[in-house]
Amino acid sequence: MAASDRTVLQFPSSSSSPSLSAKVHPLVIFNICDCYVRRPDQAERVIGTLLGSVLPDGTVDIRNSYAVPHNESVDQVALDIEYHHNMLISHQKVNPKEIIVGWYSTGLGVTGGSALIHEFYSREVPNPIHLTVDTGFTNGGGTVKAYVSNTLSLGDRQIAAHFQEVPLDLRMVEAERIGFDTLKSTTVDKIPSDLEGMETSMEHLLALIDDIHKYVDDVVEGRVAPDNKIGRFISDAVGSLPKLPPSVFDKLVNDSLQDHLLSLYLASITRTQLSLAEKLNTAAQIL
């Protein structure tokens, strides 16, 4: 066969499909897990729309989401498109800056029906992100991955969709990380209190300080090659700390702790008072 008669499988070039990255906020993960818990009994997974924005550097910032009812079989997927559009209009009334950036599904990795759903969202927004959340904790933790789809062509004919994983950054503050770690645990006796959360944060901070101290010692002793980037990070972190005497620092911590305990005490009194008022009101209606 002549070389000109050969048909070649073609992927889109990297120049026509620039590399993307995404970052997702913890609220999105919590919302997806909540939708999965509330799913219909016959549903194996939930899917939904991702909302956010595209940053100037090209990073897709995923800040919100909502579930979309669907029916799924082996060879077809039916989405409630009217519900999807009504929810989008409602969200944009609250925050008009949030646009559709992709869609999500629960489960580990991409499934057979993902290409059909991704094709629909490709008509809603160019190059959508597909986010997968492993709510089954297959690997002992909630695995979160992001994908984009490229078209696989045979000559001039498109024959398949190829999902390619993209870098995903799950950024969260310490309070959100405590909740996320609790969510990943398969058995939880109780939700940690604020003081327990503070204790966990301090233990994590001390572990990080020990790691930095060991790294600096290894660099000084010549066991590890110095990294200027890490050195600048350490210098910025140390320079941002206020210069306070230990006595002043202890006083600030103790005052803050006492204020926190007072807030908890007042909240407990308020709940007790509301509970008593409700019971008295119920008893008065019965009499």
Side-chain angles (χ1 to χ4, degrees):
M1 180 181 294
S4 59
D5 296 334
R6 296 176 182 173
T7 303
V8 181
L9 286 171
Q10 296 178 344
F11 287 94
S13 62
S14 58
S15 59
S16 62
S17 179
S19 58
L20 294 176
S21 62
K23 67 177 183 178
V24 59
H25 292 242
L27 174 63
V28 177
I29 307 300
F30 296 150
N31 190 19
I32 293 173
C33 293
D34 180 67
C35 293
Y36 180 77
V37 172
R38 299 171 185 271
R39 74 190 187 282
D41 294 336
Q42 69 276 11
E44 296 183 358
R45 67 171 183 166
V46 294
I47 65 174
T49 303
L50 298 174
L51 300 175
S53 61
V54 180
L55 301 180
D57 61 354
T59 302
V60 179
D61 185 20
I62 306 171
R63 295 195 297 265
N64 208 341
S65 66
Y66 59 86
V68 177
H70 79 291
N71 292 320
E72 191 171 0
S73 61
V74 177
D75 55 350
Q76 65 179 4
V77 179
L79 293 176
D80 192 338
I81 299 178
E82 183 178 358
Y83 178 88
H84 158 68
H85 288 152
N86 290 336
M87 287 293 293
L88 177 61
I89 293 173
S90 299
H91 274 76
Q92 289 186 333
K93 287 181 179 178
V94 178
N95 193 343
K97 294 183 179 180
E98 290 186 352
I99 61 173
I100 298 176
V101 294
W103 66 285
Y104 72 82
S105 66
T106 57
L108 186 61
V110 179
T111 63
S114 297
L116 298 175
I117 306 173
H118 200 84
E119 182 181 357
F120 164 73
Y121 279 94
S122 297
R123 297 193 296 268
E124 298 284 301
V125 60
N127 203 14
I129 291 288
H130 175 32
L131 189 74
T132 62
V133 180
D134 179 23
T135 51
F137 300 94
T138 306
N139 299 324
T143 304
V144 183
K145 294 183 178 182
Y147 301 88
V148 294
S149 176
N150 294 320
T151 303
L152 177 62
S153 301
L154 182 60
D156 296 332
R157 185 163 57 93
Q158 298 180 357
I159 61 172
H162 169 67
F163 284 89
Q164 179 181 359
E165 187 175 353
V166 297
L168 179 66
D169 183 13
L170 180 58
R171 291 187 177 181
M172 58 187 76
V173 299
E174 190 62 29
E176 294 170 333
R177 184 172 296 279
I178 293 172
F180 185 73
D181 292 340
T182 302
L183 182 67
K184 290 194 300 182
S185 178
T186 55
T187 57
V188 178
D189 295 332
K190 65 183 183 68
I191 301 298
S193 64
D194 292 340
L195 292 178
E196 292 171 341
M198 182 184 298
E199 181 182 2
T200 303
S201 299
M202 291 299 101
E203 291 175 353
H204 181 63
L205 178 60
L206 289 175
L208 293 177
I209 293 175
D210 290 339
D211 291 341
I212 294 175
H213 190 271
K214 182 178 182 302
Y215 170 78
V216 173
D217 284 345
D218 290 341
V219 171
V220 172
E221 297 296 333
R223 292 188 293 267
V224 176
D227 189 328
N228 294 334
K229 186 177 180 180
I230 297 177
R232 285 192 294 268
F233 281 139
I234 296 176
S235 177
D236 293 340
V238 174
S240 64
L241 296 175
K243 296 181 179 180
L244 295 176
S247 59
V248 176
F249 180 78
D250 290 341
K251 184 177 184 303
L252 289 175
V253 173
N254 291 331
D255 291 345
S256 177
L257 182 60
Q258 291 176 4
D259 292 341
H260 179 69
L261 292 175
L262 178 59
S263 299
L264 292 178
Y265 178 70
L266 292 176
S268 177
I269 292 178
T270 303
R271 286 195 298 267
T272 303
Q273 185 176 1
L274 291 175
S275 177
L276 289 174
E278 182 180 359
K279 291 181 179 180
L280 292 174
N281 187 31
T282 302
Q285 292 178 358
I286 294 175
L287 297 177

